[in-house]
């Protein structure tokens, strides 16, 4: 039994998951980050700038909203953590603001990132514009086609978007290309990873930057209910950054139920799914050991979800540990269940959620909570980017 | 004595190590390609085990892996093919690949099957020294396999010495800190190779990445025991059905 579910050990392991399985070409960069990230994050000047940007630039704290009609329908108390109201439209900016300040303090001039749906790419392009740094975003050729508005946003923000043409031409390949770029530019480049994945210390660093979500929930819930601790917290998981942030300050509170919702795609009994804990086995991808969807022969499989942000064959090592230890309850929602939850929220509460967040909302149909329970769901992003999918679902 | 050790005792200079991808250009070409390399003058064969996400390799090698995987190449199939290897190939053979397929196959079973097939050493770029020492070295040693670490121009002297101490067979010096196949100015590389030479390491040093013809090969050999060719050879095999002729032409061009 480890002391904390929140943080990895010195080698970057959450239980049996994590580590830094990187080729020597990345060693110096990763080691530079590992040796400095905690020091930098603890500096008063860093703390001050980070907090100021979160408040005045990103719009934090985001509201904790008591969704009365949704609560009434499910006969429990549902609170929505409104990350959809963050600047750029999702929680991703919490992390990119943090990492750009780390990059700046390490003297890096050139920023690279990977993106799937484009939310992390937009959040990275945004902070690069803010700091006047060069920004290169790798995005799968297929994703570039299906997420045109976010590609345009990144370009307007001054970023260069480079199509990843290898392999399946989606998020995992964009990540491969970003890592190759980093190998080829070992001196001036900083890689801003968008989720709690990658080699140590990335999962820990990203989780710490996203942990502001659960920190705020505790304060806000105490104001509203008199207790800092909800009965349960619920978040969707692709790589798992909004989930890591939502769970973080509750992981070592045994009374709080932890619910992670993966994308089942067409269903976990089909070959079109992205539920890595259900369909994966322990393996190594992008520098860490975690659950990974793969063939018998250890080749990485192509995941599928209606939501590009959950379309990843792995899951962050912190979540893999929550899964195997049983600390987290792992659910999954199909494309259709996520769509239903999105339309329900739109009609009951006047909020159009991102498709990713809709997977978290779908948990309300899968778990029955007591009438006096306080349930917090992370509404990680807004649905503007998904309107085309929603219009299709409405038959337009 | 291991085949690699024996080779470097016999030949200290101009050692040519050529990389090929198992199952490329066609599913059954693995052994014919290896034989052709040996006949053309390769001293070591680095046999790539195809992987869907080869981070430390460039586009050319990834494409060859994709073709091999589409053709049905797996580790089980590769070890089937390698059963005949030592009847046909005498030169040292090193398997190169990534951790995930090896772990799924079973690390110990992998080492056992590799040793049984007559493989001499392993290169697993995403197995770092910490994990190597903590979990895997004892297994690799049990089967008498050499293990080869990579060093780069950014690797500090202390770490070069650590990686040299952990390696056996040879040390793989990445010539520019880049994924394979990039053309970089060779002058900066020469300073780095000279630095490595001055450390007087325990292992012979082979230079990889960016070697493509007689000029780059002979320049690399000035400062190291030899060089490794990867992408340039794979490119030469692309779309070829006559692998023996293509290999002969390519190696002739390198060795002059």
């Amino acid at each position: 039994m480890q002391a904390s579910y929140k943080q990895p050990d010195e080698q970057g392991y959450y239980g049996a998951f994590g580590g830094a399985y990187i080729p020597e070409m990345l060693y110096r960069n990763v080691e530079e980050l590992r040796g400095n990230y905690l020091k930098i994050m603890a500096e008063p000047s860093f703390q001050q700038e980070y907090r100021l940007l979160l408040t005045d630039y990103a719009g934090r704290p985001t509201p904790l909203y008591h969704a009365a009609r949704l609560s009434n329908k499910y006969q429990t108390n549902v609170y929505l953590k409104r990350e959809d109201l963050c600047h750029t439209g999702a929680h991703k900016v919490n992390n990119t603001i943090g990492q750009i300040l780390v990059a700046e303090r390490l003297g890096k001039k050139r920023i690279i990132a990977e993106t799937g749906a484009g939310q992390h790419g937009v959040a990275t392009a945004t902070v690069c514009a803010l700091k006047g740094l060069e920004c290169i975003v790798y995005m799968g050729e297929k994703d570039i086609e299906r997420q045109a508005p976010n590609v345009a946003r990144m370009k307007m923000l001054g970023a260069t978007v480079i199509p990843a043409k290898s392999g399946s031409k989606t998020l995992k390949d964009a990540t491969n290309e970003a890592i190759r770029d980093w190998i080829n530019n070992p001196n001036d480049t900083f890689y801003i990873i968008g989720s709690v994945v990658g080699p140590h210390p990335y999962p820990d660093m990203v989780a710490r930057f996203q942990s502001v979500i659960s920190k705020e929930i505790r304060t806000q819930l105490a104001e509203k209910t008199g207790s800092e601790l909800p009965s349960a917290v619920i978040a969707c998981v692709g790589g798992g950054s909004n989930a890591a942030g939502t769970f973080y300050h509750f992981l070592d509170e045994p009374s709080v139920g932890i619910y992670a919702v993966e994308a089942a795609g067409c269903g976990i009994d089909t070959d079109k799914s992205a539920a890595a804990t259900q369909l994966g086995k322990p393996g190594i991808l992008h520098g860490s050991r975690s659950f990974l969807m793969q063939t018998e022969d250890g080749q990485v499989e192509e995941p599928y979800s209606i939501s590009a942000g959950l379309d990843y064959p792995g899951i962050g090592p912190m979540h893999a540990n929550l899964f195997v230890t049983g600390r987290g309850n792992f659910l999954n929602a199909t494309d259709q269940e996520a769509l239903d939850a999105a339309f329900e929220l739109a009609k009951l509460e006047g909020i159009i959620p991102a498709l990713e967040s809709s997977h978290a909302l779908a948990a309300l149909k899968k778990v029955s909570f007591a009438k006096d329970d306080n349930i917090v769901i992370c509404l990680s992003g807004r649905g503007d980017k998904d309107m085309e999918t929603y219009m299709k679902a409405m038959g337009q | 004595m291991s085949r690699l050790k024996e080779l470097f005792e016999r030949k200290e200079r101009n050692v040519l190590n050529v990389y090929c991808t198992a199952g490329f250009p066609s599913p059954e070409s693995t052994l014919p390609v290896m034989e052709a390399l040996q006949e053309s003058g390769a001293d070591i064969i680095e046999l790539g085990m195809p992987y869907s996400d080869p981070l430390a390799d460039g586009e050319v090698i990834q494409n060859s892996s994709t073709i091999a995987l589409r053709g049905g190449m797996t580790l089980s199939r590769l070890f089937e093919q390698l059963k005949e290897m030592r009847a046909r190939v005498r030169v040292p053979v090193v398997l190169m690949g990534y951790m995930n397929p090896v772990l799924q196959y079973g690390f110990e079973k992998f080492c056992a099957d590799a040793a049984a097939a007559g493989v001499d050493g392993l290169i697993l770029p995403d197995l770092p020294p910490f994990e190597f020492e903590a979990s895997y070295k004892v297994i690799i040693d049990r089967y008498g396999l050499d293990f080869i670490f990579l060093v780069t121009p950014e690797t500090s002297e202390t770490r070069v010495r650590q990686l040299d101490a952990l390696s056996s067979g040879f040390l793989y010096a990445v010539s520019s800190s880049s994924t394979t196949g990039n053309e970089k100015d060779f002058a900066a590389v020469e300073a780095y190779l000279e630095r490595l030479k001055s450390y007087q390491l325990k292992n012979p040093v082979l230079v990889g990445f960016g070697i493509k013809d007689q000029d780059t090969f002979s320049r690399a050999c000035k400062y190291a025991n030899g060089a490794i060719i990867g992408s340039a050879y794979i490119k030469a095999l692309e779309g070829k059905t006559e692998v023996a002729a293509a290999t002969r032409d390519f190696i002739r061009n390198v060795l002059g």
Side-chain angles (χ1 to χ4, degrees):
Chain A
M1 187 75 192
Q2 60 182 49
S4 170
Y5 291 102
K6 287 195 295 206
Q7 284 160 18
D9 68 16
E10 211 170 297
Q11 296 297 332
Y13 279 92
Y14 300 84
F17 302 101
Y21 293 83
I22 48 165
E24 184 60 24
M25 293 85 95
L26 287 176
Y27 174 78
R28 202 188 59 167
N29 269 323
V30 171
E31 182 57 21
E32 179 185 36
L33 186 61
R34 194 190 66 80
N36 288 294
Y37 79 113
L38 292 177
K39 246 184 285 175
I40 290 174
M41 287 170 69
E43 283 168 12
S45 74
F46 177 93
Q47 282 293 324
Q48 197 187 359
E49 190 175 1
Y50 181 56
R51 285 203 198 113
L52 192 70
L53 285 173
L54 285 186
T55 311
D56 294 353
Y57 188 71
R60 303 205 72 89
T62 57
L64 183 70
Y65 166 67
H66 180 245
R69 298 187 68 206
L70 195 66
S71 297
N72 187 43
K73 168 145 192 201
Y74 289 99
Q75 291 296 295
T76 189
N77 296 300
V78 180
Y79 291 86
L80 301 177
K81 182 57 175 165
R82 297 292 308 274
E83 294 301 299
D84 60 318
L85 296 176
C86 279
H87 178 42
T88 72
H91 71 290
K92 290 289 186 191
V93 76
N94 303 331
N95 170 48
T96 59
I97 288 176
Q99 286 201 49
I100 200 86
L101 297 182
V102 172
E104 206 178 29
R105 279 156 178 78
L106 289 173
K108 305 292 179 178
K109 304 284 178 233
R110 183 174 172 273
I111 303 297
I112 56 171
E114 84 296 338
T115 197
Q119 288 303 113
H120 173 60
V122 168
T124 304
T126 298
V127 296
C128 287
L130 180 71
K131 288 291 181 182
L133 293 173
E134 184 185 0
C135 179
I136 293 109
V137 179
Y138 288 89
M139 188 169 184
E141 205 170 42
K142 250 185 222 165
D143 291 334
I144 286 180
E145 280 166 30
R146 58 183 180 179
Q147 306 287 337
N150 272 343
V151 176
R153 289 170 81 196
M154 286 185 268
K155 287 185 177 164
M156 185 165 172
L157 291 160
T160 305
V161 181
I162 301 183
K165 295 178 177 178
S166 62
S168 55
K169 304 176 176 63
T170 58
L171 176 57
K172 125 183 130 62
D173 309 284
T175 308
N176 290 342
E177 293 302 327
I179 291 174
R180 283 184 181 139
D181 179 308
W182 209 20
I183 288 174
N184 285 317
N185 297 282
N187 297 313
D188 61 342
T189 298
F190 188 92
Y191 180 18
I192 297 190
I193 295 186
S195 193
V196 286
V197 300
H200 178 61
Y202 277 102
D204 184 46
M205 180 171 65
V206 176
R208 285 168 188 261
F209 285 136
Q210 292 295 356
S211 71
V212 65
I213 299 174
S214 48
K215 195 175 164 208
E216 288 175 5
I217 292 173
R218 286 184 78 123
T219 313
Q220 292 167 323
L221 201 67
E223 283 164 11
K224 287 177 199 299
T225 69
S227 167
E228 284 189 8
L229 301 182
S231 319
V233 284
I234 304 174
C236 66
V237 181
S241 70
N242 91 86
T246 304
F247 300 163
Y248 200 85
H249 291 291
F250 300 116
L251 287 173
D252 297 330
E253 304 281 1
S255 72
V256 181
I258 303 290
Y259 290 87
V261 188
E262 292 180 286
C266 297
I268 57 168
D269 50 354
T270 70
D271 60 359
K272 292 181 84 181
S273 179
T277 63
Q278 305 305 307
L279 301 171
K281 280 182 296 184
I284 292 168
L285 180 67
H286 298 146
S288 65
R289 183 174 189 273
S290 189
F291 273 81
L292 178 62
M293 292 171 60
Q294 54 187 310
T295 65
E296 288 278 302
D297 190 45
Q299 308 297 337
V300 181
E301 277 187 313
E302 201 38 45
Y304 163 79
S305 166
I306 192 171
S307 135
L310 303 180
D311 208 346
Y312 186 71
I315 185 169
M318 173 205 272
H319 298 300
N321 187 49
L322 296 178
F323 174 69
V324 299
T325 58
R327 175 65 185 102
N329 302 287
F330 280 71
L331 316 174
N332 53 81
T334 63
D335 290 356
Q336 191 56 51
E337 288 168 332
L339 283 171
D340 292 345
F343 281 94
E344 181 177 81
L345 190 73
K347 295 212 172 83
L348 286 180
E349 299 288 350
I351 299 169
I352 298 176
L355 271 166
E356 290 77 14
S357 323
S358 305
H359 286 74
L361 293 163
L364 287 171
K365 281 197 170 40
K366 295 172 180 282
V367 186
S368 30
F369 294 105
K371 207 164 163 50
D372 57 353
D373 278 351
N374 291 320
I375 310 304
V376 177
I377 301 177
C378 184
L379 204 64
S380 55
R382 55 180 176 247
D384 307 30
K385 70 182 176 61
D386 298 312
M387 284 317 296
E388 203 173 308
T389 310
Y390 291 148
M391 287 191 293
K392 218 180 276 171
M394 288 185 287
Q396 288 175 11
Chain B
M1 191 188 301
S2 87
R3 279 189 197 87
L4 284 167
K5 200 161 184 203
E6 190 274 325
L7 166 71
F8 285 105
E9 284 195 358
R10 182 164 47 79
K11 185 171 183 179
E12 281 183 18
R13 317 230 35 99
N14 301 323
V15 170
L16 174 64
N17 176 345
V18 185
Y19 169 94
C20 56
T21 301
F24 175 85
S26 63
E28 295 305 324
S29 66
T30 311
L31 280 184
V33 165
M34 292 174 84
E35 280 182 297
L37 283 170
Q38 171 175 274
E39 298 320 316
S40 305
D43 298 302
I44 302 172
I45 296 169
E46 184 181 324
L47 181 60
M49 303 175 282
Y51 179 46
S52 55
D53 296 78
L55 288 183
D57 288 299
E59 200 185 346
V60 172
I61 289 179
Q62 173 154 11
N63 285 343
S64 72
S65 299
T66 304
I67 290 168
L69 290 172
R70 281 198 196 125
M73 185 49 70
T74 63
L75 274 182
S76 309
R77 189 157 175 195
L78 175 60
F79 284 125
E80 272 303 310
Q81 293 179 344
L82 293 187
K83 276 187 179 151
E84 279 180 61
M85 177 179 79
R86 281 302 170 202
R88 295 160 68 174
V89 177
R90 300 173 308 277
V91 299
V93 173
V94 173
L95 285 178
M96 185 275 178
Y98 292 82
M99 277 298 279
N100 197 56
V102 173
L103 289 179
Q104 299 314 314
Y105 191 80
F107 198 87
E108 175 135 19
K109 181 166 181 267
F110 171 80
C111 290
D113 289 358
V119 166
D120 302 289
L122 306 176
I123 302 175
L124 299 168
D126 59 349
L127 176 57
F130 170 79
E131 317 287 348
F132 172 80
E133 283 193 277
S135 313
Y136 300 105
K137 184 179 188 304
V138 56
I139 304 173
I140 294 165
D141 288 349
R142 192 176 302 150
Y143 294 93
L145 295 165
D146 287 319
F147 192 87
I148 293 119
F149 277 100
L150 275 61
V151 297
T152 82
E154 275 77 36
T155 311
S156 68
E157 178 176 350
T158 317
R159 192 166 163 89
V160 168
R161 293 195 183 282
Q162 182 203 356
L163 294 170
D164 179 48
L166 290 176
S167 296
S168 61
F170 60 91
L171 195 63
Y172 191 143
V174 178
S175 70
S176 60
S177 209
S178 65
T179 47
T180 55
N182 267 14
E183 292 188 34
K184 291 257 165 131
D185 184 12
F186 225 82
V189 173
E190 284 172 336
Y192 150 67
L193 294 177
E194 201 137 21
R195 182 164 65 85
L196 281 183
K197 201 176 174 185
S198 74
Y199 297 160
Q200 304 203 327
L201 301 170
K202 136 193 138 170
N203 287 292
V205 174
L206 297 185
V207 185
F209 294 22
I211 316 288
K212 57 177 193 292
D213 51 22
Q214 194 180 354
D215 180 45
T216 45
F217 179 68
S218 58
R219 288 178 77 173
C221 290
K222 262 195 256 171
Y223 303 92
N225 304 80
I228 303 169
I229 297 185
S231 302
Y233 174 59
I234 295 298
K235 236 184 241 173
L237 281 185
E238 276 173 4
K240 296 283 170 29
T241 43
E242 296 292 322
V243 294
T247 303
R248 205 166 44 238
D249 292 348
F250 179 84
I251 301 291
R252 189 178 293 152
N253 189 41
V254 170
L255 295 177

